[in-house]
């Protein structure tokens, strides 16, 4: 890393997804960071702690994003890919620049990209978020919750298992507990898989 603009602090755009690193093309343009040939480093900070950084190299019709991403405390991965730019005419004259969302199958013209593993538009992040809900393994978690009720355990599969209710045969208890654990594993496996769906999406 290094280069012109090194250490510049990025002031995120208006958005409700505060936990995400955001790149606002209007900011890049205002700061002259879209000048072809220019390389800049931006960092995101929260409470004076740097929570992310990225190197941006501008070309006429694209910016190259370079940064490192760490998944679930796993190894760091170097990412390096282009985001294409599009220019439209403003009513009052002049040109406005947009990002074309680099997520596979998207290409939406947007002003702000949000970082997960890759930078993508709000719509793509919403899709990824929605895909973490109402999936078949929710059935597994509902079934597991029904068993928890029978066992008089606190609802919610992320809560620890409880003890055998008074008056229940041990055999019945073990059977229900086993069934419960299998369902919880199914549900958790599904959640993990879906949360990674978006991250594993090819870039272009
Ligand atoms: Zn998108």
């Amino acid at each position: 890393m290094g280069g012109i603009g090194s250490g510049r602090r990025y002031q995120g755009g208006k958005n409700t997804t505060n936990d995400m690193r955001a790149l606002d093309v209007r900011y890049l343009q205002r700061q002259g960071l879209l000048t072809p040939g220019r390389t800049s480093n931006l960092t995101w900070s929260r409470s004076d702690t740097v929570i992310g950084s990225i190197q941006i190299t501008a070309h006429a019709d694209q910016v190259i994003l370079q940064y490192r991403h760490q998944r679930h405390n796993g190894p760091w991965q170097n990412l390096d890919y282009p985001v294409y730019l599009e220019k439209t005419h403003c009513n009052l004259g002049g040109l406005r620049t947009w990002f074309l969302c680099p997520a596979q199958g998207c290409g939406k013209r947007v002003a702000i990209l949000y970082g997960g593993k890759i930078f993508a538009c709000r719509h793509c992040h919403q899709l990824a978020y929605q895909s973490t809900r109402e999936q078949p393994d929710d059935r597994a978690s509902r079934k597991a919750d029904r068993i928890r009720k029978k066992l008089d355990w606190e609802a919610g599969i992320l809560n620890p298992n409880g003890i055998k209710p008074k008056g229940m045969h041990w055999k019945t208890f073990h059977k229900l507990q086993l069934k419960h654990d299998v369902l919880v594993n199914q549900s958790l496996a599904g959640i993990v898989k879906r949360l990674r769906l978006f991250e594993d999406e090819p870039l272009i």
Side-chain angles (χ1 to χ4, degrees):
M1 295 246 181
I4 303 163
S6 193
R8 186 186 295 275
R9 182 182 292 191
Y10 179 65
Q11 314 287 334
K14 278 180 284 183
N15 62 75
T16 52
T17 45
N18 289 326
D19 285 337
M20 286 176 160
R21 289 161 295 145
L23 269 182
D24 190 328
V25 77
R26 294 161 296 192
Y27 172 83
L28 299 185
Q29 188 160 34
R30 272 201 308 273
Q31 300 293 323
L33 307 186
L34 296 179
T35 310
R38 182 156 181 188
T39 294
S40 336
N41 284 294
L42 301 181
T43 59
W44 290 272
S45 306
R46 189 187 297 143
S47 310
D48 286 335
T49 306
V50 173
I51 55 166
S53 65
I54 188 169
Q55 179 169 298
I56 300 173
T57 304
H59 296 278
D61 63 343
Q62 60 180 243
V63 286
I64 309 291
L65 305 184
Q66 290 173 287
Y67 54 96
R68 298 200 313 150
H69 175 80
Q70 185 186 30
R71 185 164 84 184
H72 309 307
N73 296 320
W76 288 89
Q77 197 181 348
N78 289 315
L79 287 136
D80 180 340
Y81 57 92
V83 173
Y84 289 91
L85 303 173
E86 196 167 278
K87 293 190 171 76
T88 57
H89 289 279
C90 299
N91 287 337
L92 302 170
L95 289 171
R96 185 172 168 184
T97 306
W98 303 85
F99 289 129
L100 299 182
C101 172
Q104 191 187 38
C106 182
K108 268 193 186 27
R109 201 162 68 190
V110 292
I112 303 176
L113 293 175
Y114 301 92
K117 179 178 178 183
I118 68 159
F119 282 81
C121 72
R122 184 189 293 269
H123 178 75
C124 285
H125 281 287
Q126 264 161 10
L127 282 183
Y129 175 71
Q130 278 160 11
S131 77
T132 66
R133 305 165 75 91
E134 293 165 40
Q135 292 285 316
D137 46 85
D138 282 349
R139 279 202 303 272
S141 93
R142 273 201 304 276
K143 278 186 191 169
D145 250 341
R146 279 202 292 274
I147 295 177
R148 296 184 72 87
K149 204 169 173 189
K150 267 189 209 167
L151 292 170
D152 216 11
W153 292 355
E154 193 181 344
I157 60 165
L158 296 178
N159 287 314
N161 290 3
I163 55 166
K164 181 181 86 64
K166 269 193 183 131
M168 182 180 277
H169 287 295
W170 276 105
K171 203 174 158 188
T172 312
F173 175 67
H174 285 311
K175 225 167 81 184
L176 284 174
Q177 180 163 251
L178 181 67
K179 214 167 145 189
H180 167 269
D181 290 348
V182 168
L183 288 166
V184 168
N185 282 339
Q186 273 176 14
S187 178
L188 293 181
I191 290 168
V192 168
K193 203 167 142 204
R194 279 181 285 109
L195 288 176
R196 288 185 181 169
L197 246 189
F198 182 68
E199 295 205 330
D200 287 338
E201 208 169 322
L203 296 177
I204 319 239

